Protein backbone atom coordinates (compact mmCIF):
# COMPACT_ATOMS: atom_id res chain seq x y z
CA UNK A 1 0.00 0.00 0.00
CA UNK A 2 1.05 3.58 -0.52
CA UNK A 3 0.05 5.27 2.73
CA UNK A 4 1.37 4.54 6.18
CA UNK A 5 -0.60 3.48 9.22
CA UNK A 6 -0.17 5.45 12.47
CA UNK A 7 2.81 3.27 13.46
CA UNK A 8 4.63 4.33 10.33
CA UNK A 9 4.33 1.26 8.12
CA UNK A 10 4.14 1.63 4.35
CA UNK A 11 4.01 -2.06 3.43
CA UNK A 12 4.06 -5.40 5.19
CA UNK A 13 6.09 -8.51 4.49
CA UNK A 14 7.47 -11.51 6.33
CA UNK A 15 11.06 -12.37 5.56
CA UNK A 16 13.23 -14.64 7.66
CA UNK A 17 12.70 -16.77 10.73
CA UNK A 18 13.79 -15.86 14.21
CA UNK A 19 12.97 -14.22 17.51
CA UNK A 20 13.67 -10.54 16.79
CA UNK A 21 11.24 -8.62 14.59
CA UNK A 22 12.35 -5.47 12.79
CA UNK A 23 11.16 -2.89 10.30
CA UNK A 24 13.20 -1.00 7.74
CA UNK A 25 13.15 2.51 6.31
CA UNK A 26 11.97 2.67 2.71
CA UNK A 27 15.34 3.84 1.43
CA UNK A 28 16.68 0.29 1.79
CA UNK A 29 15.98 -2.34 -0.83
CA UNK A 30 13.76 -5.25 0.15
CA UNK A 31 13.47 -8.01 -2.42
CA UNK A 32 10.05 -7.98 -4.07
CA UNK A 33 9.10 -4.49 -2.86
CA UNK A 34 9.68 -1.11 -4.52
CA UNK A 35 11.99 1.43 -2.88
CA UNK A 36 9.96 4.66 -2.96
CA UNK A 37 11.74 6.75 -0.31
CA UNK A 38 8.42 8.24 0.72
CA UNK A 39 7.99 10.03 -2.61
CA UNK A 40 5.04 10.05 -4.96
CA UNK A 41 7.53 10.58 -7.78
CA UNK A 42 8.78 7.03 -7.13
CA UNK A 43 5.34 5.46 -6.68
CA UNK A 44 5.84 3.23 -9.72
CA UNK A 45 9.41 2.22 -8.97
CA UNK A 46 10.16 -1.40 -9.86
CA UNK A 47 10.43 -4.02 -7.16
CA UNK A 48 13.94 -4.55 -5.81
CA UNK A 49 15.60 -7.75 -6.98
CA UNK A 50 17.65 -8.27 -3.80
CA UNK A 51 17.81 -7.18 -0.20
CA UNK A 52 20.13 -4.51 1.05
CA UNK A 53 23.27 -6.03 2.57
CA UNK A 54 22.37 -5.14 6.17
CA UNK A 55 18.95 -6.77 5.79
CA UNK A 56 20.57 -9.96 4.47
CA UNK A 57 22.93 -9.96 7.45
CA UNK A 58 20.05 -9.61 9.92
CA UNK A 59 17.96 -12.29 8.23
CA UNK A 60 20.95 -14.62 8.45
CA UNK A 61 21.19 -13.79 12.16
CA UNK A 62 17.68 -15.06 12.98
CA UNK A 63 15.81 -11.77 12.64
CA UNK A 64 12.42 -11.34 10.95
CA UNK A 65 11.61 -8.39 8.70
CA UNK A 66 7.94 -7.47 8.96
CA UNK A 67 7.64 -4.27 6.94
CA UNK A 68 8.90 -1.06 5.41
CA UNK A 69 8.38 2.31 7.04
CA UNK A 70 7.57 5.82 5.89
CA UNK A 71 10.04 8.70 6.05
CA UNK A 72 10.47 12.37 5.28
CA UNK A 73 10.41 12.43 1.49
CA UNK A 74 13.70 11.31 -0.11
CA UNK A 75 15.15 11.27 3.44
CA UNK A 76 15.63 15.02 3.01
CA UNK A 77 14.07 16.71 6.03
CA UNK A 78 14.08 16.65 9.81
CA UNK A 79 10.40 16.80 10.79
CA UNK A 80 9.20 13.44 9.43
CA UNK A 81 6.11 15.12 7.99
CA UNK A 82 5.04 13.49 4.73
CA UNK A 83 1.85 14.75 3.08
CA UNK A 84 1.76 12.02 0.42
CA UNK A 85 2.68 8.83 2.26
CA UNK A 86 1.36 10.04 5.61
CA UNK A 87 3.01 11.31 8.78
CA UNK A 88 3.38 8.62 11.44
CA UNK A 89 2.09 9.49 14.90
CA UNK A 90 4.66 10.04 17.63
CA UNK A 91 3.36 7.40 20.07
CA UNK A 92 4.50 9.03 23.31
CA UNK A 93 4.03 12.66 22.25
CA UNK A 94 1.24 12.70 19.63
CA UNK A 95 1.18 16.49 19.30
CA UNK A 96 4.89 16.62 18.47
CA UNK A 97 6.69 15.82 15.24
CA UNK A 98 7.99 12.23 14.99
CA UNK A 99 11.29 13.61 13.71
CA UNK A 100 13.01 12.86 10.44
CA UNK A 101 13.96 11.62 8.23
CA UNK A 102 13.54 8.08 9.67
CA UNK A 103 10.15 8.88 11.19
CA UNK A 104 8.34 5.59 10.63
CA UNK A 105 11.25 3.50 11.84
CA UNK A 106 11.26 5.44 15.10
CA UNK A 107 7.50 5.28 15.66
CA UNK A 108 7.38 1.54 14.89
CA UNK A 109 9.78 0.97 17.79
CA UNK A 110 8.20 3.52 20.14
CA UNK A 111 4.77 1.94 19.56
CA UNK A 112 6.24 -1.50 20.42
CA UNK A 113 5.33 -2.89 17.00
CA UNK A 114 8.85 -4.29 16.58
CA UNK A 115 11.86 -4.94 18.77
CA UNK A 116 14.12 -2.78 16.61
CA UNK A 117 14.18 -0.96 13.31
CA UNK A 118 16.60 0.33 10.70
CA UNK A 119 16.96 3.95 9.68
CA UNK A 120 19.61 5.98 7.92
CA UNK A 121 21.43 9.01 9.30
CA UNK A 122 23.02 11.57 6.98
CA UNK A 123 22.57 14.60 9.21
CA UNK A 124 20.82 13.27 12.30
CA UNK A 125 18.08 11.23 10.62
CA UNK A 126 18.23 8.41 13.18
CA UNK A 127 19.16 10.47 16.22
CA UNK A 128 16.60 13.23 15.58
CA UNK A 129 13.52 10.96 15.55
CA UNK A 130 14.92 8.93 18.45
CA UNK A 131 15.12 12.14 20.47
CA UNK A 132 11.59 13.18 19.45
CA UNK A 133 10.07 9.77 20.25
CA UNK A 134 12.06 9.19 23.48
CA UNK A 135 13.77 5.99 22.37
CA UNK A 136 17.38 4.90 21.78
CA UNK A 137 19.00 5.69 18.44
CA UNK A 138 22.46 4.68 17.25
CA UNK A 139 24.43 6.05 14.32
CA UNK A 140 27.43 3.74 13.97
CA UNK A 141 30.68 5.16 12.70
CA UNK A 142 30.82 5.91 8.98
CA UNK A 143 31.36 2.74 6.94
CA UNK A 144 30.75 0.34 9.83
CA UNK A 145 27.53 -0.96 8.22
CA UNK A 146 27.38 -1.68 4.49
CA UNK A 147 25.34 0.80 2.47
CA UNK A 148 24.88 -1.65 -0.41
CA UNK A 149 21.25 -1.42 -1.46
CA UNK A 150 20.67 1.92 0.28
CA UNK A 151 19.36 5.09 -1.40
CA UNK A 152 21.15 7.27 -2.37
CA UNK A 153 23.87 4.94 -3.55
CA UNK A 154 26.71 7.43 -2.99
CA UNK A 155 27.19 9.45 0.18
CA UNK A 156 30.16 10.52 2.28
CA UNK A 157 27.93 11.23 5.31
CA UNK A 158 25.17 8.62 5.41
CA UNK A 159 25.17 5.74 7.89
CA UNK A 160 22.75 2.87 8.41
CA UNK A 161 21.57 3.08 12.03
CA UNK A 162 19.18 1.48 14.50
CA UNK A 163 16.33 2.23 16.89
CA UNK A 164 15.49 0.28 20.05
CA UNK A 165 13.54 0.96 23.22
CA UNK A 166 16.44 0.04 25.48
CA UNK A 167 20.17 -0.59 25.51
CA UNK A 168 19.88 -4.34 25.99
CA UNK A 169 18.14 -4.69 22.63
CA UNK A 170 20.71 -2.42 20.98
CA UNK A 171 23.40 -4.75 22.31
CA UNK A 172 21.59 -7.69 20.73
CA UNK A 173 21.41 -5.94 17.35
CA UNK A 174 25.14 -5.20 17.40
CA UNK A 175 25.89 -8.78 18.46
CA UNK A 176 23.89 -10.23 15.59
CA UNK A 177 25.71 -7.96 13.16
CA UNK A 178 29.08 -9.10 14.48
CA UNK A 179 30.24 -5.90 16.16
CA UNK A 180 33.23 -6.62 18.42
CA UNK A 181 32.87 -6.65 22.18
CA UNK A 182 33.54 -3.48 24.10
CA UNK A 183 36.97 -2.54 25.38
CA UNK A 184 37.58 -2.48 29.09
CA UNK A 185 35.37 0.23 30.65
CA UNK A 186 36.78 3.67 30.16
CA UNK A 187 38.53 5.05 33.23
CA UNK A 188 38.81 8.60 31.89
CA UNK A 189 36.44 11.42 32.81
CA UNK A 190 33.84 12.09 30.07
CA UNK A 191 33.99 15.41 28.24
CA UNK A 192 30.80 17.48 28.45
CA UNK A 193 29.85 20.16 25.95
CA UNK A 194 27.72 22.65 27.88
CA UNK A 195 26.27 25.93 26.74
CA UNK A 196 25.36 24.60 23.30
CA UNK A 197 21.61 24.26 23.94
CA UNK A 198 18.80 25.96 25.85
CA UNK A 199 19.76 26.69 29.44
CA UNK A 200 17.05 24.43 30.86
CA UNK A 201 18.23 21.53 28.70
CA UNK A 202 21.80 22.00 29.94
CA UNK A 203 20.49 22.17 33.51
CA UNK A 204 18.52 18.94 33.14
CA UNK A 205 21.59 17.15 31.80
CA UNK A 206 23.70 18.51 34.65
CA UNK A 207 21.17 17.19 37.18
CA UNK A 208 21.16 13.80 35.48
CA UNK A 209 24.95 13.63 35.63
CA UNK A 210 24.89 14.52 39.31
CA UNK A 211 22.15 12.01 40.09
CA UNK A 212 24.19 9.20 38.56
CA UNK A 213 27.48 10.30 40.05
CA UNK A 214 29.04 11.12 36.70
CA UNK A 215 31.86 13.65 36.92
CA UNK A 216 32.48 15.28 33.55
CA UNK A 217 35.17 17.64 32.32
CA UNK A 218 33.68 20.69 30.61
CA UNK A 219 35.07 20.99 27.11
CA UNK A 220 34.64 23.00 23.95
CA UNK A 221 34.56 22.23 20.24
CA UNK A 222 35.00 25.64 18.58
CA UNK A 223 34.37 24.16 15.11
CA UNK A 224 30.95 22.71 16.02
CA UNK A 225 28.91 25.31 14.10
CA UNK A 226 31.36 25.31 11.20
CA UNK A 227 31.04 21.51 11.01
CA UNK A 228 27.26 21.78 10.89
CA UNK A 229 27.43 24.25 8.02
CA UNK A 230 30.08 22.20 6.20
CA UNK A 231 27.90 19.09 6.42
CA UNK A 232 24.95 21.06 5.03
CA UNK A 233 27.04 22.02 2.00
CA UNK A 234 28.20 18.45 1.43
CA UNK A 235 24.75 16.88 1.78
CA UNK A 236 23.31 19.58 -0.45
CA UNK A 237 25.83 18.84 -3.19
CA UNK A 238 25.57 15.06 -2.88
CA UNK A 239 21.76 15.03 -2.84
CA UNK A 240 21.60 17.41 -5.79
CA UNK A 241 23.65 14.86 -7.73
CA UNK A 242 21.72 11.85 -6.44
CA UNK A 243 18.27 13.30 -7.12
CA UNK A 244 19.00 15.49 -10.15
CA UNK A 245 16.28 13.75 -12.19
CA UNK A 246 13.70 14.67 -9.54
CA UNK A 247 14.67 18.33 -9.13
CA UNK A 248 11.82 19.53 -11.36
CA UNK A 249 9.41 16.66 -10.80
CA UNK A 250 6.04 18.07 -9.78
CA UNK A 251 5.27 14.98 -7.67
CA UNK A 252 8.13 15.89 -5.33
CA UNK A 253 7.01 18.22 -2.56
CA UNK A 254 8.05 21.83 -3.00
CA UNK A 255 10.28 21.98 0.09
CA UNK A 256 12.31 18.95 -1.01
CA UNK A 257 12.53 20.22 -4.61
CA UNK A 258 13.85 23.51 -3.28
CA UNK A 259 16.57 21.75 -1.27
CA UNK A 260 17.64 19.72 -4.28
CA UNK A 261 17.77 22.84 -6.46
CA UNK A 262 19.73 24.87 -3.90
CA UNK A 263 22.19 22.00 -3.56
CA UNK A 264 23.02 22.34 -7.24
CA UNK A 265 24.21 25.90 -6.58
CA UNK A 266 26.90 24.92 -4.09
CA UNK A 267 30.28 25.89 -5.51
CA UNK A 268 33.54 24.01 -5.72
CA UNK A 269 35.07 26.59 -3.37
CA UNK A 270 32.37 25.95 -0.77
CA UNK A 271 32.94 22.22 -1.03
CA UNK A 272 36.69 22.62 -0.67
CA UNK A 273 36.17 24.71 2.44
CA UNK A 274 33.73 22.11 3.80
CA UNK A 275 36.27 19.35 3.30
CA UNK A 276 38.88 21.43 5.11
CA UNK A 277 36.48 21.82 8.04
CA UNK A 278 35.83 18.07 7.94
CA UNK A 279 39.53 17.34 8.41
CA UNK A 280 40.03 19.89 11.18
CA UNK A 281 36.83 19.06 13.06
CA UNK A 282 37.47 15.31 12.86
CA UNK A 283 40.96 15.82 14.27
CA UNK A 284 39.59 17.98 17.10
CA UNK A 285 36.99 15.33 18.03
CA UNK A 286 39.64 12.59 17.87
CA UNK A 287 41.90 14.57 20.19
CA UNK A 288 39.11 15.16 22.70
CA UNK A 289 38.11 11.51 22.69
CA UNK A 290 41.71 10.39 23.08
CA UNK A 291 41.76 12.22 26.42
CA UNK A 292 38.21 11.53 27.62
CA UNK A 293 36.91 8.41 25.89
CA UNK A 294 33.38 9.72 25.41
CA UNK A 295 31.80 13.09 24.64
CA UNK A 296 28.46 14.10 26.16
CA UNK A 297 26.15 16.80 24.83
CA UNK A 298 22.44 17.43 24.25
CA UNK A 299 20.96 15.71 21.23
CA UNK A 300 18.91 18.77 20.28
CA UNK A 301 19.59 22.43 21.05
CA UNK A 302 15.88 23.02 21.64
CA UNK A 303 12.78 21.03 22.53
CA UNK A 304 11.08 19.08 19.71
CA UNK A 305 8.41 21.25 18.07
CA UNK A 306 4.76 20.40 17.72
CA UNK A 307 3.34 19.50 14.34
CA UNK A 308 1.76 22.94 14.24
CA UNK A 309 5.01 24.74 15.15
CA UNK A 310 6.87 22.77 12.47
CA UNK A 311 4.89 24.57 9.78
CA UNK A 312 7.37 27.41 10.29
CA UNK A 313 10.67 26.41 8.60
CA UNK A 314 12.60 28.69 10.95
CA UNK A 315 11.43 26.54 13.85
CA UNK A 316 13.30 23.47 12.61
CA UNK A 317 16.23 24.78 10.62
CA UNK A 318 18.79 24.40 13.41
CA UNK A 319 17.45 21.32 15.18
CA UNK A 320 20.27 19.14 13.83
CA UNK A 321 22.98 21.61 14.83
CA UNK A 322 24.37 19.20 17.47
CA UNK A 323 23.81 16.02 15.44
CA UNK A 324 25.03 16.79 11.94
CA UNK A 325 28.67 17.58 12.88
CA UNK A 326 29.28 13.93 13.75
CA UNK A 327 28.14 12.82 10.31
CA UNK A 328 30.87 15.08 9.00
CA UNK A 329 33.48 13.59 11.32
CA UNK A 330 32.25 10.00 10.98
CA UNK A 331 32.23 9.20 14.72
CA UNK A 332 29.65 6.84 16.25
CA UNK A 333 26.91 8.60 18.21
CA UNK A 334 24.10 7.38 20.43
CA UNK A 335 21.07 9.27 21.75
CA UNK A 336 18.87 8.23 24.66
CA UNK A 337 15.98 9.82 26.55
CA UNK A 338 16.87 11.39 29.90
CA UNK A 339 13.83 13.46 30.90
CA UNK A 340 11.18 16.00 29.97
CA UNK A 341 10.73 19.75 29.97
CA UNK A 342 7.22 21.15 29.51
CA UNK A 343 5.99 17.66 28.57
CA UNK A 344 8.49 17.40 25.72
CA UNK A 345 11.35 14.89 25.64
CA UNK A 346 15.00 15.71 26.22
CA UNK A 347 17.74 13.38 24.94
CA UNK A 348 21.43 13.04 25.68
CA UNK A 349 23.93 12.35 22.91
CA UNK A 350 27.09 10.32 23.47
CA UNK A 351 29.88 10.42 20.88
CA UNK A 352 32.66 7.86 20.91
CA UNK A 353 35.90 6.89 19.26
CA UNK A 354 35.70 5.38 15.80
CA UNK A 355 35.18 1.63 15.98
CA UNK A 356 33.93 1.77 19.59
CA UNK A 357 30.13 1.62 19.35
CA UNK A 358 29.80 -0.82 22.24
CA UNK A 359 31.77 1.45 24.55
CA UNK A 360 29.04 4.04 23.97
CA UNK A 361 26.49 1.55 25.28
CA UNK A 362 28.61 0.92 28.36
CA UNK A 363 28.66 4.63 29.19
CA UNK A 364 24.97 5.05 28.34
CA UNK A 365 23.86 2.46 30.90
CA UNK A 366 24.56 4.75 33.81
CA UNK A 367 22.00 7.25 32.45
CA UNK A 368 19.14 4.77 32.03
CA UNK A 369 17.24 2.67 34.55
CA UNK A 370 19.04 -0.48 33.37
CA UNK A 371 21.97 -1.54 35.52
Amino acid sequence: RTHCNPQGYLSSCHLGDGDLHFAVKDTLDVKGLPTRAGSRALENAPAATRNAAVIEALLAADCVLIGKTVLHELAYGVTGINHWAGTPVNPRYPALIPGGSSSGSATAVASESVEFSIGTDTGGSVRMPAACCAIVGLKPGFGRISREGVMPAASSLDCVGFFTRDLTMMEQVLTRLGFPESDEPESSVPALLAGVARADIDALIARRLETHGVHAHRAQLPLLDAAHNAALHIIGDENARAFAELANHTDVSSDVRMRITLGGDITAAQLAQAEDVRLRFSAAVDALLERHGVLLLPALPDLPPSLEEARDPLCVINLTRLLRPFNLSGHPALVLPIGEIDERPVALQLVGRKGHERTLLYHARRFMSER
Side-chain angles (χ1 to χ4, degrees):
R1 61 190 172 191
T2 299
H3 298 281
C4 74
N5 65 16
Q7 288 74 40
Y9 286 107
L10 277 171
S11 55
S12 299
C13 62
H14 191 285
L15 297 178
D17 294 300
D19 57 331
L20 294 187
H21 295 76
F22 71 103
V24 60
K25 183 178 184 177
D26 192 25
T27 51
L28 282 80
D29 287 344
V30 173
K31 185 177 180 179
L33 295 177
T35 303
R36 297 188 176 114
S39 180
R40 187 175 195 170
L42 300 176
E43 185 173 15
N44 297 315
T49 58
R50 62 177 65 184
N51 293 321
V54 64
I55 294 175
E56 278 296 305
L58 288 166
L59 295 177
D62 297 325
C63 297
V64 182
L65 175 62
I66 68 167
K68 302 192 82 172
T69 61
V70 76
L71 58 143
H72 200 113
E73 186 176 8
L74 299 181
Y76 210 2
V78 304
T79 65
I81 294 170
N82 189 313
H83 296 295
W84 173 69
T87 301
V89 176
N90 185 332
R92 299 177 184 177
Y93 303 91
L96 303 185
I97 63 169
S101 63
S102 308
S103 52
S105 292
T107 60
V109 168
S111 65
E112 302 187 12
S113 299
V114 287
E115 282 85 6
F116 73 96
S117 65
I118 298 177
T120 59
D121 191 315
T122 317
S125 287
V126 165
R127 292 162 291 155
M128 173 76 186
C132 292
C133 295
I135 57 176
V136 178
L138 173 67
K139 178 193 81 70
F142 183 77
R144 296 279 281 167
I145 298 288
S146 171
R147 293 191 67 260
E148 180 185 346
V150 179
M151 179 190 299
S155 174
S156 68
L157 302 171
D158 189 49
C159 304
V160 173
F162 308 99
F163 298 94
T164 62
R165 288 184 294 279
D166 56 52
L167 295 169
T168 300
M169 181 55 62
M170 191 67 76
E171 286 273 13
Q172 288 195 46
V173 173
L174 295 186
T175 295
R176 298 198 184 200
L177 287 171
F179 275 66
E181 293 297 323
S182 175
D183 290 342
E184 290 297 315
E186 298 285 345
S187 58
S188 54
V189 176
L192 171 66
L193 289 190
V196 293
R198 276 176 43 154
D200 52 357
I201 292 176
D202 279 342
L204 189 155
I205 289 175
R207 290 196 302 272
R208 194 64 180 255
L209 292 174
E210 182 179 358
T211 298
H212 290 271
V214 177
H215 302 285
H217 172 85
R218 290 191 171 240
Q220 292 183 329
L221 274 175
L223 288 171
L224 193 66
D225 287 339
H228 175 246
N229 291 328
L232 284 172
H233 281 129
I234 291 171
I235 190 177
D237 175 73
E238 292 182 347
N239 276 358
R241 297 173 189 273
F243 301 123
E245 294 182 359
L246 300 178
N248 298 311
H249 201 301
T250 55
D251 282 339
V252 175
S253 59
S254 58
D255 66 313
V256 174
R257 280 205 317 273
M258 179 183 68
R259 292 189 191 100
I260 295 170
T261 300
L262 290 175
D265 296 333
I266 294 169
T267 67
Q270 288 174 313
L271 289 174
Q273 183 179 18
E275 291 297 342
D276 177 67
V277 172
R278 191 202 299 255
L279 290 174
R280 292 189 289 125
F281 179 71
S282 299
V285 177
D286 283 339
L288 193 61
L289 291 172
E290 186 64 29
R291 295 193 301 273
H292 297 283
V294 65
L295 172 62
L296 310 176
L297 71 160
L300 306 182
D302 208 334
L303 299 176
S306 68
L307 291 162
E308 182 62 31
E309 290 164 347
R311 293 176 182 271
D312 178 5
L314 295 178
C315 181
V316 299
I317 191 169
N318 285 319
L319 281 176
T320 60
R321 181 169 58 82
L322 306 179
L323 302 172
R324 198 177 297 273
F326 303 105
N327 293 92
L328 188 75
S329 68
H331 291 86
L334 178 80
V335 301
L336 62 156
I338 61 162
E340 288 186 349
I341 295 173
D342 297 333
E343 299 182 340
R344 302 192 188 202
V346 174
L348 177 69
Q349 180 174 203
L350 297 86
V351 179
R353 292 176 293 161
K354 294 174 181 176
H356 292 261
E357 284 81 4
R358 283 193 191 262
T359 301
L360 284 179
L361 301 186
Y362 162 78
H363 283 287
R365 286 190 182 279
R366 69 179 84 181
F367 298 107
M368 297 192 78
S369 59
E370 306 167 62
R371 294 290 180 268

